[in-house]
Amino acid sequence: MSFQSFCSPMATYLEFIQQNEERDGVRFSWNVWPSSRLEATRMVVPLACLLTPLKERLDLPPVQYEPVLCSRPTCKAVLNPLCQVDYRAKLWACNFCFQRNQFPPAYAGISEVNQPAELMPQFSTIEYIVQRGPQMPLIFLYVVDTCLEEEDLQALKESLQMSLSLLPADALVGLITFGRMIQVHELSCEGISKSFVFRGTKDLTAKQIQDMLGLSRPAVPIQQGRPLQAPEQPVISSRFLQPVHKVDMNLTDLLGELQRDPWPVTQGKRPLRSTGVALSIAVGLLEGTFPNTGARIMLFTGGPPTQGPGMVVGDELKMPIRSWHDIEKDNARFMKKATKHYETLANRAAANGHCIDIYACALDQTGLLEMKCCANLTGGHMVMGDSFNTSLFKQTFQRVFNKGFNGEFRMAFGACLDVKTSRELKIAGAIGPCISLNAKGPCVSESELGIGGTSQWKICSLDPSTTLAIYFEVVNQHNAPIPQGGRGAVQFVTQYQHSSTQKRIHVTTIARNWADAQSQLQHIEAAFDQEAAAVLMARLGVYRAESEEGPDVLRWLDRQLIRLCQKFGQYSKDDPNSFRLSESFSLYPQFMFHLRRSPFLQVFNNSPDESSYYRHHFARQDLTQSLIMIQPILYAYSFHGPPEPVLLDSSSILPDRILLMDTFFQIVIYLGETIAQWQKAGYQEMPEYENFKHLLQAPLDDAQEILQTRFPMPRYIHTEHGGSQARFLLSKVNPSQTHNNLYAWGQESGAPILTDDVSLQVFMDHLKKLAVSSAA
Amino acid sequence: MSVNQQAHTGPPYGRPQPGYQGYQQPAYGGQPLPGVPQLQYGAYNGPMPGYQQPAPPQGSLRAPSTSGAPPPASGASLPSGHLTYSPFGQGDVQNGIPASAAAVQRPPASQPYLPGSAPMPVSQTPTFQQYGPPPASVQQLSNHMAGMTIGSVAASAPPPAGLGYGPPTSVPPVSGSFSTTGSGLYTPYTASQGPPPTSVSQSLPLAQPPFPGAPRPPTMPGPPLPGQTVAGPPTTQPNHVSSPPPPSAMSGPQPGPPMSGLHGPPPPTHPPQPGYQMQQNGSFGQVRGPQANYGGTYPGTPNYGSQPGPPPPPKRLDPDSIPSPQLNELPPQQKPRHRIDPDAIPSPIQVIEDDRSNCGSEPFVTGVRGQVPPLVTTDFLVKDQGNASPRYIRCTSYNIPCTSDMAKQSQVPLAAVIKPLATLRPEETLPYLVDHGESGPVRCNRCKAYMCPFMQFIEGGRRFQCCFCSCVTEVPPHYFQHLDHTGKRVDFYDRPELSLGSYEFLATVDYCKNNKFPSPPAFIFMIDVSYNAVKSGLVRLICEELKSLLDYLPREGNMEESAIRVGFVTYNKVLHFYNVKSSLAQPQMMVVSDVADMFVPLLDGFLVNVNESRTVIASLLDQIPEMFADTRETETVFAPVIQAGLEALKAAECAGKLFIFHTSLPIAEAPGKLKNRDDKKLINTDKEKTLFQPQTSFYNNLAKDCVAQGCCVDLFLFPNQYLDVATLGVVTYQTGGSIYKYAYFQLETDQDRFLNDLRRDVQKEVGFDAVMRVRTSTGIRATDFFGAFYMSNTTDVEMAGLDCDKTITVEFKHDDKLSEDSGALLQCALLYTSCAGQRRLRIHNLSLNCCTQLADLYRNCETDTLINYLAKYAYRGVLSSPVKTVRDALVNQCAQILACYRKNCASPSSAGQLILPECMKLLPVYLNCVLKSDVLQPGLEVTTDDRAYIRQLVTSMDVAETNVFFYPRLLPLTKADVDSDSLPAAIRNSEERLSKGDIYLLENGLNIFVWVGVNVQQGLIQNLFGVSSFSQISNGLSTLPVLENPFSKKVRSIIDMLQMQRSRYMKLIIVKQEDKLEMLFKHFLVEDKSLSGGASYVDFLCHMHKEIRQLLS
């Protein structure tokens, strides 16, 4: 029953979907679109897509010229395979606004047989390299907390030093350290190391920061009789940000000499940590020196901000950091102010195309809840760990600098996503690591889903897996039928700074058939992509959960699910047993069941920081990863056959099995009771039980494979029946057997879960009942 | 009354040296001849005649002395010589008087003397007699004497001399001149002088004989004799002994006549004058001695003028003679027309010389209550026997009126000038450190006074009665000691706090901030690295110097290394802190640009031990000049710099000192930002005071914070333009710091001065986080305080830092009656943290007499201290009142002081006479100097900053510094004896005294001028400047070349010696006569009219006289 089971009658659509995803990085909830607004709303699941703008394609070399744009100022769509071309007149018609455009002179030789790439159907996605503007180097600004335990700091220093070797040689690098005070290190000086120091309690405006750092342009150069002032600017901007190759040694030493924050911390107090101001300075520094240039602010923090703007908790240890309980009771006195502070910062950074990563490693919370927007709005990474001295952090951090197959960093900066739609569609919004650019236009819908009101978004940092959910609204009126065979089109234009510092434009144009929902509902139904739909709905739910009460969101999700079942289920009224769902919808309720239990919507047992962390990742991972997050994968290893995916159900927990669960955030290997006993008995050491050894080894190898590729590194848990860490597994599986129904189900299989949560079966029963109810 | 007064005052001066006396004697000798004068004396009350007489006689005297017979024949030059001498003569005379007085006062013995004399009119004192009017004077005397013992009287032989002096010196001339007010007034004076010269000169040769033989001798001697005779035996010096001869001369009658004579007809007086002088001489025991040996006296003179030696004229001190040669020679008739002879009015030089010769030779023992110490210009040794050394405390008067009515009547301010950490001579012992154990110093229960020699142990030593408040306190068991039969504790001599005037207690934790023993203090060097500072080479200079200087931080006792930690900050518009932790390979710089809200960016590694971080510091100091070599930042901040230092000390929880090297007006955007508000147009308006006030109260608040933390700020300023010292100095001033100012700093010329100042400033003894409290006997109480400090209440003087040069002047007022029996006690307790971080209490005790007679008050005053007080009072006044008001108030107060004396103490005399108390005869000249000082009467070239700077500077000066500051020392270099260590005799600060053919040195504690006359011998110029002629001496020279010849060496050694004496390295300025710079130089010739409108000494004296007369009438 796992979603991986692809064999189904809908193979054609599945293939189509898969093909499209591979080629364009797009998954639509509906692959045949209802042709009128009214019908579309009745579909319950909105017309939307998951877009992975920079999806890696081995077979797509970028072209080295500029795209040809539609000349209508409000359109500016890029020439694409859907356009009608008059080869003789050298004209092309925009498929979005129907403007007829002259080809530019360079296209003089164009003909049916001599087409430019962008006109070929297989190039519905194409990447242009453009030569406009100066090429700016990548910028990495480390913002390092020094209020760490000695070992943690040491580990962090080593990681940072190591990272220098991973950076491109011409990248600019800067260092800010903070504790009670904030030090902005000047990297250019010889001999004496120099830093600008700020107190951590005072909020400074961007201008103040720039003035204090000496970054502001000399207002009026009143240089009476004093010589030259030519090389001012480069000097200024490079004081704090230097090319790695120049300051490599210097910075390595500097990092090496980094000491723990020297201010004494008395017993019963937290160290004073000025994260808020440190970030503010980092943002201000980049804002003043490299606006609109790709840059990464990398914040490494080992605890919550305890003073100044952005403080999350006081320095008294007796006052614990806020919990969900406090937040619900409105007892988190610093939360709102801090959140506001970080939001302001995030917006400023995003406006300048800078992204903020947060690497928070501590056993307690570090204030991710308040700081989450920094990463969320700018496309930065958020990494949460227990200590900098763990492989989880070390490897995750290293992976930030991973290179793709072509030897390029898997990161891009300052992207601007522009979405264009054909007339029948409008854009309702987007959910993902982006901010609105407030580009109003004819294709912007009135109603908003996610970040709406615009057709353009800024994504300050993205990697090949960054995925946005984009929601559309069908605006075609019911009485204005679309001609038979008409297609709706959407074009995604992503301009960004490639890690090689090139400017690139990534264009994806897709088209889908319209269908009249009344006459051709089965087409639409068949073209439903329940996986994409589940993720898209989940994103909407999570998005709402950020601002609404948890139960409200759940209720909303439930209602949507019920409505969908009512719409597409086949049943006799008031007869739950008659309820059937077609293959293309069959998995959807199950996804919803797990989504309801997921940490994205349930805060129970999670700290606010954890919730923020999970939600952060959920809002940016691609469809596959998102689905794993919603419904973890469970593999079983046993002597009964090859490893196989099994139901995420308590019944899958058997004594003679090894289970491997991947929840995206955790990889859990669980040894069944018997296996665990065998292992304790040491059978794996005996030559005659080598097969047991292999059995033990198999899940480890598979887990390793996942660990190798996943970002961020999942928490790796190796446990066994009865182990305390088994809770990770037990909390995820469908509690089909609990202490309540254990005996009813007999002893045959599975392990009871001690929970009062409803099981999938109960959930489905209720769903059916409500779906068929005439009262609903 | 002049005589009397002199007599009174005399005592303090008391100890004329033989040499001096010798001089005088001859002079007198000459005078005696005239004999007649005595009559005048009588008439005038002595004083009058005294003055007049002295002048002439002196002249005459000298003439004789030098030239011997020639005098009469002497041409203009000779007369001049006489003139020159005459001043001396006067001086002598004056001194003489004082001397006598001094003698009386100082040695308790001397006092008795007086009494002794009292009974016997004649014997009582020649001085009195001189005062003339035997009867009146006698009474007074008797009063004075009352307290004294006979024995002492005997000792006081000097008094007679004093008498003699008294009359001649100040009183006569003044009175003469003033009496008429106009030139007419002078006439008598001159007239008197006129005659004397001739006669004197003649007499001189004869002198010796005349003395004895002459009638005057009898007169003068008469008194002395008795005194001497009486005194001679007991205490007085050999000189006195010699006096015996005079006795005959002393004859009582004489006084009488002179008095009358003096008053009436000036002319006739002449003769008497000499007589007076004689008297004076006579009065001085010593004088006589010398007299006898005329030759001996002469030798003395040679020293003065001798250098040139060869020709007779030189001996006579040509330079001095220049101005008034005529006087001597002129016939009496002409004289009337002539102005007052400057030589006839009280001469500071003479007073100083006399005191030096009287007191310099033997130690000043502090055991006796109310002793007037030698002058500050005298180099003397102090033996602490129960009272604090005058180096620690000096008082305006050592005899305090018993009632406030008296005090008000006299208008003499009662003040003590306290220098708690003063540097002592190497021979003197530092205060002992006493540890009373865990319970802390033993104190009075009620007033909390500390155990001191004046506490009375009673009940067998079980309790003690407080000498201040009379409260009886139990002696703590661990402190108990039995008493001997005299009621003294048996361990009296083992305990410094019972036997000494000054000592220290080890403070307990109760005396520490937050009940925590302090950490060792820290020094933070804060260097301006703006464009100007870098360009002028200052930054490099400072860094270079610090490298070596850091090895000389103050150490406690014999500790091996200083406990003081150091830190470094540089700044322009932003501040740069440096981490110089010893574990670092390289120093780290931390820039704080948030000047609006200053803080210290680091804790560890900012303040370090010099030895541990030596290499890092050296590296830092090497790099600082390089780092800022290309700076183009011209703006600076200031307040944040102090805040930074303050915060650093706060963070380190210690006291300390900031050394800030600053160049410009802080106009950069920051707290405490200033604007240029200099406006010379405000001078002489009601708004002038604003120039002395800080621009903003910001710095006052900052200062308060600094004091609370014990953060003392020393400021080194290098301005090229106005930088508002009045505002920048506020913190320095209130934290007990020092300001050093080097306007238009140039490396070549100012380097030495700056570095020497810096070295001294860093190395000198200093205490931190100090609180000073002055306790007094019931009846008076400290009411007002002057100096560099902060006060948060009315009694405690708080100083973040207090160094060995800082002085606090404390004024006392009566709040009840004092008793003559118990006298008045002062106890100054200073709680401070030593340079090693030890908390200590330094206690100074001083016992003073109390009097019910005004005469006693006037006899025990000290003018230098008085001037110190008045100057500080006036300088504070300019903050709140228009300068003119302040000046008028000063003049008025002094006039009242003098008028009160005249009215109550002096013997009756004509209203036209100016009679000055002996102890205060320099008050007018010094007061005039104060009035003419840049603060109260700015010259054209004096900047607002200079005035503010000087105002603050003077406020924490001690008496010696104010003395030389207001009346600079002028030394004829060409008269220096190249073979001896001694300085040439100083001359008076008047252009008239300068000879074109000589080279002079003038110093006032801030500057040294070397003035070169146009006619100086080429040889001398060659020797001193290494160039062949006057014209080749380059203008604006500020150093002397190092040349290998005796003259050059001598001059340089003199300069070095002077530099050593002063707390600041003085700026050397070479001035060529008739060069532009001469204007500047002339500004310091304080007896002359100043360009800015300051009165000449003579004019001012007239003015004072007028004021006094007005008050009297």
Side-chain angles (χ1 to χ4, degrees), chain B residues 668-920:
Chain B
E669 197 53 57
K673 169 186 173 177
L674 299 180
K675 50 180 188 284
N676 188 338
R677 46 114 187 215
D678 187 16
D679 186 359
K680 283 214 165 184
K681 287 201 280 282
L682 295 181
I683 292 175
N684 288 327
T685 69
D686 284 353
K687 286 191 175 166
E688 182 170 2
K689 62 187 177 199
T690 58
L691 296 178
F692 297 108
Q693 295 166 341
Q695 260 185 57
T696 139
S697 63
F698 181 87
Y699 288 94
N700 289 311
N701 298 331
L702 182 56
K704 198 171 154 189
D705 296 342
C706 286
V707 172
Q709 179 59 39
C711 168
C712 173
V713 179
D714 275 2
L715 196 53
F716 292 81
L717 297 171
F718 308 86
N720 285 335
Q721 57 202 357
Y722 179 73
L723 51 51
D724 203 347
V725 173
T727 310
L728 295 191
V730 167
V731 177
T732 300
Y733 179 61
Q734 297 194 20
T735 57
S738 313
I739 303 182
Y740 298 85
K741 183 162 161 284
Y742 311 90
Y744 307 105
F745 180 81
Q746 300 225 323
L747 210 55
E748 310 77 53
T749 52
D750 298 319
Q751 172 175 350
D752 282 346
R753 186 160 61 105
F754 163 58
L755 291 183
N756 277 293
D757 282 346
L758 176 60
R759 283 173 200 147
R760 191 165 192 284
D761 197 49
V762 168
Q763 295 175 22
K764 69 185 169 188
E765 190 191 344
V766 57
F768 295 93
D769 210 358
V771 181
M772 187 184 93
R773 184 153 189 175
V774 180
R775 291 183 174 82
T776 52
S777 302
T778 311
I780 53 169
R781 139 180 92 80
T783 53
D784 209 351
F785 301 84
F786 303 84
F789 53 72
Y790 172 79
M791 292 187 77
S792 56
N793 56 35
T794 54
T795 52
D796 294 337
V797 174
E798 296 175 40
M799 287 154 293
L802 174 68
D803 63 47
C804 58
D805 295 325
K806 290 287 174 302
T807 309
I808 297 108
T809 295
V810 184
E811 189 187 3
F812 303 98
K813 289 250 164 64
H814 286 80
D815 57 2
D816 203 345
K817 274 186 186 165
L818 290 166
S819 100
E820 270 181 298
D821 294 339
S822 53
L825 294 177
L826 305 183
Q827 183 176 74
C828 160
L830 177 81
L831 175 63
Y832 71 102
T833 304
S834 76
C835 61
Q838 201 174 45
R839 199 74 173 148
R840 295 178 179 178
L841 281 152
R842 180 171 285 203
I843 313 292
H844 297 298
N845 300 292
L846 183 65
S847 60
L848 302 172
N849 284 327
C850 294
C851 61
T852 51
Q853 298 295 319
L854 281 170
D856 289 329
L857 166 66
Y858 282 101
R859 210 167 12 180
N860 289 284
C861 284
E862 214 205 7
T863 304
D864 291 328
T865 311
L866 202 55
I867 286 293
N868 180 284
Y869 166 82
L870 290 174
K872 289 179 181 180
Y873 181 77
Y875 279 17
R876 186 172 70 185
V878 298
L879 283 177
S880 50
S881 315
V883 172
K884 182 169 185 313
T885 316
V886 172
R887 293 165 50 87
D888 291 348
L890 264 192
V891 173
N892 190 36
Q893 183 174 14
C894 288
Q896 288 198 14
I897 292 172
L898 296 177
C900 172
Y901 173 77
R902 171 69 184 260
K903 193 168 155 196
N904 299 291
C905 306
S907 42
S909 59
S910 86
Q913 243 182 323
L914 171 60
I915 303 178
L916 301 173
E918 174 61 25
C919 284
M920 292 188 187

Side-chain angles (χ1 to χ4, degrees), chain B residues 1035-1099:
Chain B
N1035 291 325
L1037 205 60
S1038 63
T1039 51
L1040 288 175
V1042 178
L1043 300 174
E1044 284 301 314
N1045 63 69
F1047 184 59
S1048 174
K1049 276 185 192 163
K1050 176 66 185 174
V1051 170
R1052 282 182 287 114
S1053 80
I1054 288 176
I1055 292 176
D1056 289 346
M1057 192 155 106
L1058 296 177
Q1059 297 284 27
M1060 290 287 291
Q1061 285 178 6
R1062 303 297 169 206
S1063 61
R1064 287 163 186 250
Y1065 198 81
M1066 293 176 278
K1067 182 178 187 174
L1068 180 61
I1069 304 169
I1070 314 274
V1071 179
K1072 291 162 71 180
Q1073 190 179 6
E1074 291 167 10
D1075 186 52
K1076 272 180 296 184
L1077 274 178
E1078 203 187 10
M1079 296 292 293
L1080 188 59
F1081 173 73
K1082 283 181 179 169
H1083 186 62
F1084 293 94
L1085 297 175
V1086 291
E1087 288 197 18
D1088 296 341
K1089 236 187 185 66
S1090 75
L1091 280 175
S1092 48
S1096 70
Y1097 180 14
V1098 171
D1099 292 346

Side-chain angles (χ1 to χ4, degrees), chain A residues 13-218:
Chain A
Y13 267 116
L14 284 178
E15 281 164 13
F16 172 80
I17 289 168
Q18 194 175 5
Q19 196 183 10
N20 266 283
E21 187 183 15
E22 274 171 16
R23 191 181 60 210
D24 298 327
V26 177
R27 291 274 295 255
F28 271 93
S29 50
W30 303 99
N31 287 297
V32 171
W33 296 345
S35 60
S36 81
R37 179 194 182 96
L38 191 62
E39 286 163 10
T41 52
R42 286 183 181 155
M43 298 290 135
V44 182
V45 172
L47 173 55
C49 72
L50 286 167
L51 170 70
T52 310
L54 298 190
K55 186 169 172 63
E56 265 180 330
R57 277 186 61 188
L58 299 158
D59 56 341
L60 182 70
V63 296
Q64 304 269 350
Y65 51 84
E66 298 245 348
V68 176
L69 303 183
C70 170
S71 59
R72 189 189 295 268
T74 54
C75 176
K76 293 212 167 167
V78 178
L79 177 63
N80 62 71
L82 300 176
C83 295
Q84 292 198 338
V85 178
D86 181 341
Y87 292 102
R88 275 187 306 156
K90 310 287 188 232
L91 290 173
W92 63 277
C94 172
N95 62 323
F96 294 101
C97 68
F98 306 114
Q99 169 84 9
R100 295 171 70 82
N101 300 289
Q102 200 81 36
F103 277 109
Y107 285 67
I110 195 169
S111 72
E112 282 92 339
V113 290
N114 184 17
Q115 290 180 347
E118 63 265 35
L119 287 178
M120 300 176 189
Q122 68 269 37
F123 288 107
S124 59
T125 291
I126 189 168
E127 187 153 285
Y128 300 88
I129 298 177
V130 298
Q131 308 293 343
R132 272 174 286 158
Q135 291 200 352
M136 299 302 287
L138 301 184
I139 299 164
F140 297 87
L141 179 53
Y142 295 146
V143 182
V144 182
D145 179 2
T146 54
C147 297
L148 302 176
E149 294 303 316
E150 193 57 55
E151 316 184 312
D152 259 26
L153 182 61
Q154 193 52 39
L156 178 56
K157 277 153 66 172
E158 283 163 14
S159 287
L160 293 177
Q161 286 170 330
M162 174 276 301
S163 73
L164 295 179
S165 63
L166 302 176
L167 296 176
D170 62 344
L172 301 183
V173 62
L175 176 65
I176 294 175
T177 55
F178 68 95
R180 181 176 177 142
M181 316 248 167
I182 297 99
Q183 277 177 268
V184 184
H185 297 266
E186 194 174 313
L187 303 176
S188 55
C189 17
E190 294 294 318
I192 199 162
S193 77
K194 185 173 173 185
S195 59
F196 282 65
V197 188
F198 296 82
R199 71 192 320 165
T201 51
K202 191 175 170 190
D203 200 5
L204 297 165
T205 64
K207 176 154 191 320
Q208 282 174 316
I209 290 169
Q210 286 154 21
D211 283 350
M212 289 175 185
L213 290 175
L215 300 176
S216 28
R217 307 282 128 84

Side-chain angles (χ1 to χ4, degrees), chain B residues 1008-1028:
Chain B
I1008 292 183
F1009 291 93
V1010 172
W1011 183 89
V1012 188
V1014 284
N1015 291 346
V1016 174
Q1017 291 172 13
Q1018 292 201 352
L1020 284 177
I1021 290 183
Q1022 180 69 49
N1023 279 344
L1024 193 55
F1025 298 102
V1027 295
S1028 56

Side-chain angles (χ1 to χ4, degrees), chain B residues 30-366:
Chain B
Q31 296 172 350
L33 285 176
V36 186
Q38 293 178 350
L39 296 177
Q40 294 176 346
Y41 254 73
Y44 277 106
N45 264 354
M48 293 292 295
Y51 256 152
Q52 295 173 348
Q53 291 173 352
Q58 291 171 353
S60 63
L61 288 176
R62 294 194 178 176
S65 66
T66 53
S67 62
S74 65
S77 66
L78 283 179
S80 71
H82 293 299
L83 292 178
T84 60
Y85 278 55
S86 61
F88 280 99
Q90 293 176 352
D92 293 351
V93 175
Q94 296 174 350
N95 292 339
I97 298 167
S100 65
V104 174
Q105 291 180 344
R106 283 185 205 142
S110 68
Q111 293 179 348
Y113 202 99
L114 289 176
S117 63
M120 308 162 50
V122 176
S123 70
Q124 268 197 349
T125 34
T127 57
F128 289 115
Q129 292 175 353
Q130 291 176 351
Y131 290 45
S137 67
V138 173
Q139 289 179 350
Q140 293 177 348
L141 288 177
S142 63
N143 289 336
H144 297 299
M145 313 295 224
M148 308 165 161
T149 63
I150 297 176
S152 65
V153 175
S156 67
L163 292 176
Y165 280 9
T169 58
S170 58
V171 184
V174 178
S175 66
S177 60
F178 292 121
S179 60
T180 354
T181 315
S183 60
L185 296 177
Y186 295 82
T187 53
Y189 182 51
T190 53
S192 69
Q193 289 180 347
T198 56
S199 65
V200 173
S201 65
Q202 294 173 351
S203 69
L204 277 177
L206 301 174
Q208 295 178 347
F211 269 75
R216 298 135 210 166
T219 60
M220 301 296 287
L225 279 178
Q228 291 172 350
T229 53
V230 179
T235 55
T236 54
Q237 304 164 344
N239 298 331
H240 294 291
V241 177
S242 66
S243 60
S248 61
M250 295 291 287
S251 67
Q254 288 181 355
M259 297 295 287
S260 63
L262 289 174
H263 266 301
T269 57
H270 300 300
Q273 289 177 353
Y276 269 113
Q277 292 176 347
M278 289 299 291
Q279 287 180 353
Q280 294 172 352
N281 292 337
S283 66
F284 280 105
Q286 300 173 349
V287 174
R288 302 214 164 169
Q291 285 178 358
N293 315 328
Y294 239 38
T297 61
Y298 275 105
T301 49
N303 289 338
Y304 288 130
S306 67
Q307 289 192 351
K315 289 179 186 175
R316 298 179 182 176
L317 305 177
D318 288 343
D320 295 345
S321 67
I322 297 175
S324 55
Q326 300 170 348
L327 292 182
N328 288 336
E329 301 209 336
L330 287 181
Q333 298 162 352
Q334 292 179 350
K335 293 176 183 175
R337 293 229 140 203
H338 202 77
R339 61 190 185 107
I340 298 177
D341 178 5
D343 288 345
I345 53 183
S347 159
I349 302 301
Q350 194 60 53
V351 173
I352 289 169
E353 287 296 331
D354 286 350
D355 188 70
R356 198 168 281 162
S357 54
N358 289 341
C359 309
S361 53
E362 51 187 67
F364 176 69
V365 181
T366 70

